[in-house]
Amino acid sequence: DQQVKQNSPSLSVQEGRISILNCDYTNSMFDYFLWYKKYPAEGPTFLISISSIKDKNEDGRFTVFLNKSAKHLSLHIVPSQPGDSAVYFCAASVSGGGADGLTFGKGTHLIIQP
Amino acid sequence: ETGVTQTPRHLVMGMTNKKSLKCEQHLGHNAMYWYKQSAKKPLELMFVYSLEERVENNSVPSRFSPECPNSSHLFLHLHTLQPEDSALYLCASSQAHRLAGATGELFFGEGSRLTVL
């Protein structure tokens, strides 16, 4: 049973608009959440994270929102740019992760259209 | 010099072959990981080494055998694989979580694309 779910395999957004990627989790022990971005033929790269003690974290065009009661987080990208086209993975961990590893979702393929 | 380097980038092997994947990290981390990425599946954690000791196996078949000779190097030895083992194998590193300041962020290599015929 998947503990981290990304229910949208793909998302198409027009350049300049807001991209919203969603992620749900089932394990209430998760207390740290991360988003990774992956281009074809490359490894995933860290994008942004949030601790469970917060409900929002912002870094430039990227904002992650956490709703603990709903066990839901989302990544907002605004404005969306062509270089944002990639697969985005949501990940979660217990107690700050590190040597416990991360639990990943299946990913959402974001396509930014000109 | 990239932080986490994996070789080879591509590998094709028969079911009776023995091969190894190599990973090297230059970030001063003390935890290293092997993940498997199959089509339309989440990244699956295979092995974790923290301070050079294996801390998780995750019920991976014995035809996959990890080796971590030091904190900078990680190997995945492959033996008598099956076609369903074809996937992208990703190595990652991080600070072990018990150290102060560990954020849980993993740094990934570019992956080794394995095809088993």
Short mmCIF file of all heavy atoms in Angstrom, two decimals, chain B residues 18-43:
data_model
loop_
_atom_site.label_atom_id
_atom_site.label_comp_id
_atom_site.label_asym_id
_atom_site.label_seq_id
_atom_site.Cartn_x
_atom_site.Cartn_y
_atom_site.Cartn_z
N LYS B 18 27.36 -11.50 -14.13
CA LYS B 18 27.60 -10.81 -12.86
C LYS B 18 28.18 -9.44 -13.20
O LYS B 18 29.17 -9.35 -13.92
CB LYS B 18 28.63 -11.57 -12.01
CG LYS B 18 28.15 -12.85 -11.39
CD LYS B 18 29.25 -13.43 -10.49
CE LYS B 18 28.82 -14.75 -9.89
NZ LYS B 18 29.89 -15.31 -9.01
N LYS B 19 27.57 -8.42 -12.67
CA LYS B 19 28.05 -7.06 -12.90
C LYS B 19 27.90 -6.27 -11.60
O LYS B 19 27.24 -6.70 -10.66
CB LYS B 19 27.24 -6.37 -14.01
CG LYS B 19 27.34 -7.02 -15.38
CD LYS B 19 28.67 -6.73 -16.02
CE LYS B 19 28.70 -7.32 -17.44
NZ LYS B 19 30.01 -7.11 -18.10
N SER B 20 28.50 -5.08 -11.59
CA SER B 20 28.39 -4.22 -10.41
C SER B 20 28.12 -2.78 -10.83
O SER B 20 28.66 -2.30 -11.83
CB SER B 20 29.68 -4.27 -9.59
OG SER B 20 29.89 -5.56 -9.08
N LEU B 21 27.31 -2.10 -10.04
CA LEU B 21 27.10 -0.67 -10.18
C LEU B 21 27.92 0.02 -9.10
O LEU B 21 28.01 -0.47 -7.97
CB LEU B 21 25.63 -0.32 -10.01
CG LEU B 21 24.63 -1.06 -10.90
CD1 LEU B 21 23.21 -0.57 -10.61
CD2 LEU B 21 24.97 -0.86 -12.37
N LYS B 22 28.49 1.17 -9.48
CA LYS B 22 29.34 1.90 -8.55
C LYS B 22 28.78 3.28 -8.29
O LYS B 22 28.24 3.93 -9.19
CB LYS B 22 30.75 2.01 -9.12
CG LYS B 22 31.73 2.78 -8.23
CD LYS B 22 33.08 2.91 -8.90
CE LYS B 22 34.03 3.78 -8.07
NZ LYS B 22 35.34 3.96 -8.75
N CYS B 23 28.93 3.75 -7.07
CA CYS B 23 28.50 5.09 -6.69
C CYS B 23 29.57 5.71 -5.81
O CYS B 23 30.14 5.04 -4.93
CB CYS B 23 27.17 5.01 -5.93
SG CYS B 23 26.57 6.61 -5.33
N GLU B 24 29.84 6.98 -6.06
CA GLU B 24 30.83 7.70 -5.27
C GLU B 24 30.27 9.08 -4.93
O GLU B 24 29.72 9.76 -5.80
CB GLU B 24 32.13 7.84 -6.07
CG GLU B 24 33.27 8.48 -5.30
CD GLU B 24 34.59 8.46 -6.08
OE1 GLU B 24 34.61 7.88 -7.19
OE2 GLU B 24 35.58 9.01 -5.57
N GLN B 25 30.39 9.47 -3.67
CA GLN B 25 29.90 10.80 -3.28
C GLN B 25 31.05 11.64 -2.75
O GLN B 25 31.93 11.15 -2.03
CB GLN B 25 28.74 10.70 -2.29
CG GLN B 25 29.05 10.01 -0.96
CD GLN B 25 29.39 10.96 0.17
OE1 GLN B 25 29.42 12.18 -0.02
NE2 GLN B 25 29.66 10.41 1.33
N HIS B 26 31.02 12.93 -3.13
CA HIS B 26 32.09 13.87 -2.77
C HIS B 26 31.54 14.97 -1.86
O HIS B 26 32.02 16.11 -1.89
CB HIS B 26 32.68 14.49 -4.04
CG HIS B 26 33.09 13.49 -5.07
ND1 HIS B 26 34.30 12.84 -5.03
CD2 HIS B 26 32.44 13.02 -6.16
CE1 HIS B 26 34.38 12.01 -6.06
NE2 HIS B 26 33.28 12.09 -6.76
N LEU B 27 30.52 14.65 -1.09
CA LEU B 27 29.83 15.66 -0.30
C LEU B 27 30.11 15.57 1.20
O LEU B 27 29.54 16.32 1.98
CB LEU B 27 28.31 15.55 -0.54
CG LEU B 27 27.88 15.75 -2.00
CD1 LEU B 27 26.43 15.35 -2.19
CD2 LEU B 27 28.10 17.20 -2.41
N GLY B 28 30.93 14.61 1.57
CA GLY B 28 31.23 14.44 2.99
C GLY B 28 30.08 13.84 3.79
O GLY B 28 30.06 13.95 5.02
N HIS B 29 29.15 13.21 3.10
CA HIS B 29 28.02 12.59 3.79
C HIS B 29 28.42 11.26 4.40
O HIS B 29 29.43 10.65 4.04
CB HIS B 29 26.86 12.37 2.81
CG HIS B 29 26.21 13.65 2.37
ND1 HIS B 29 25.50 13.75 1.19
CD2 HIS B 29 26.16 14.88 2.95
CE1 HIS B 29 25.04 14.99 1.08
NE2 HIS B 29 25.44 15.69 2.13
N ASN B 30 27.58 10.77 5.32
CA ASN B 30 27.90 9.49 5.96
C ASN B 30 26.76 8.50 5.85
O ASN B 30 26.74 7.49 6.56
CB ASN B 30 28.30 9.69 7.42
CG ASN B 30 27.30 10.58 8.14
OD1 ASN B 30 26.14 10.63 7.78
ND2 ASN B 30 27.78 11.29 9.15
N ALA B 31 25.80 8.76 5.00
CA ALA B 31 24.75 7.79 4.71
C ALA B 31 24.60 7.70 3.20
O ALA B 31 24.61 8.72 2.50
CB ALA B 31 23.42 8.19 5.35
N MET B 32 24.46 6.48 2.70
CA MET B 32 24.29 6.26 1.26
C MET B 32 23.17 5.26 1.02
O MET B 32 22.89 4.40 1.86
CB MET B 32 25.60 5.78 0.63
CG MET B 32 26.73 6.81 0.71
SD MET B 32 28.21 6.36 -0.20
CE MET B 32 27.70 6.71 -1.89
N TYR B 33 22.53 5.40 -0.14
CA TYR B 33 21.31 4.66 -0.42
C TYR B 33 21.33 4.12 -1.86
O TYR B 33 21.88 4.75 -2.75
CB TYR B 33 20.09 5.59 -0.31
CG TYR B 33 20.03 6.44 0.92
CD1 TYR B 33 20.84 7.56 1.07
CD2 TYR B 33 19.14 6.14 1.95
CE1 TYR B 33 20.78 8.35 2.20
CE2 TYR B 33 19.07 6.93 3.08
CZ TYR B 33 19.89 8.03 3.20
OH TYR B 33 19.82 8.81 4.33
N TRP B 34 20.64 3.00 -2.05
CA TRP B 34 20.28 2.55 -3.39
C TRP B 34 18.76 2.59 -3.49
O TRP B 34 18.05 2.05 -2.64
CB TRP B 34 20.74 1.12 -3.66
CG TRP B 34 22.19 0.99 -4.02
CD1 TRP B 34 23.16 0.36 -3.31
CD2 TRP B 34 22.83 1.49 -5.20
NE1 TRP B 34 24.37 0.45 -3.95
CE2 TRP B 34 24.20 1.13 -5.13
CE3 TRP B 34 22.40 2.20 -6.32
CZ2 TRP B 34 25.13 1.46 -6.11
CZ3 TRP B 34 23.32 2.53 -7.30
CH2 TRP B 34 24.67 2.16 -7.19
N TYR B 35 18.29 3.26 -4.56
CA TYR B 35 16.87 3.29 -4.89
C TYR B 35 16.69 2.66 -6.26
O TYR B 35 17.55 2.76 -7.13
CB TYR B 35 16.34 4.73 -4.95
CG TYR B 35 15.95 5.32 -3.63
CD1 TYR B 35 16.89 5.97 -2.84
CD2 TYR B 35 14.64 5.26 -3.17
CE1 TYR B 35 16.53 6.54 -1.62
CE2 TYR B 35 14.27 5.84 -1.96
CZ TYR B 35 15.22 6.47 -1.20
OH TYR B 35 14.86 7.03 0.00
N LYS B 36 15.50 2.07 -6.46
CA LYS B 36 15.15 1.52 -7.76
C LYS B 36 13.96 2.29 -8.30
O LYS B 36 12.98 2.52 -7.59
CB LYS B 36 14.78 0.03 -7.61
CG LYS B 36 14.28 -0.63 -8.89
CD LYS B 36 13.87 -2.07 -8.61
CE LYS B 36 13.33 -2.72 -9.87
NZ LYS B 36 12.87 -4.12 -9.59
N GLN B 37 14.07 2.71 -9.57
CA GLN B 37 12.93 3.37 -10.19
C GLN B 37 12.49 2.56 -11.40
O GLN B 37 13.19 2.49 -12.41
CB GLN B 37 13.28 4.80 -10.63
CG GLN B 37 12.05 5.52 -11.17
CD GLN B 37 12.33 6.91 -11.70
OE1 GLN B 37 13.47 7.27 -11.97
NE2 GLN B 37 11.29 7.69 -11.85
N SER B 38 11.32 1.94 -11.28
CA SER B 38 10.71 1.22 -12.39
C SER B 38 9.63 2.11 -13.00
O SER B 38 9.13 3.03 -12.36
CB SER B 38 10.08 -0.09 -11.90
OG SER B 38 11.04 -0.88 -11.25
N ALA B 39 9.27 1.78 -14.23
CA ALA B 39 8.25 2.57 -14.92
C ALA B 39 6.95 2.59 -14.13
O ALA B 39 6.49 1.56 -13.65
CB ALA B 39 8.02 2.00 -16.32
N LYS B 40 6.38 3.78 -13.98
CA LYS B 40 5.07 3.97 -13.34
C LYS B 40 5.01 3.47 -11.91
O LYS B 40 3.95 3.07 -11.43
CB LYS B 40 3.96 3.33 -14.19
CG LYS B 40 3.86 3.94 -15.57
CD LYS B 40 2.73 3.32 -16.38
CE LYS B 40 2.68 3.97 -17.76
NZ LYS B 40 1.62 3.38 -18.62
N LYS B 41 6.14 3.45 -11.24
CA LYS B 41 6.19 3.07 -9.83
C LYS B 41 6.93 4.13 -9.04
O LYS B 41 7.76 4.85 -9.60
CB LYS B 41 6.91 1.73 -9.66
CG LYS B 41 6.13 0.51 -10.09
CD LYS B 41 6.90 -0.73 -9.67
CE LYS B 41 6.13 -1.98 -9.98
NZ LYS B 41 6.86 -3.19 -9.55
N PRO B 42 6.67 4.23 -7.74
CA PRO B 42 7.45 5.17 -6.93
C PRO B 42 8.90 4.71 -6.85
O PRO B 42 9.20 3.54 -7.05
CB PRO B 42 6.79 5.08 -5.56
CG PRO B 42 5.52 4.35 -5.75
CD PRO B 42 5.67 3.51 -6.96
N LEU B 43 9.76 5.64 -6.50
CA LEU B 43 11.13 5.26 -6.17
C LEU B 43 11.10 4.32 -4.97
O LEU B 43 10.49 4.62 -3.95
CB LEU B 43 11.95 6.51 -5.81
CG LEU B 43 12.38 7.40 -6.97
CD1 LEU B 43 12.75 8.78 -6.47
CD2 LEU B 43 13.54 6.77 -7.70
#
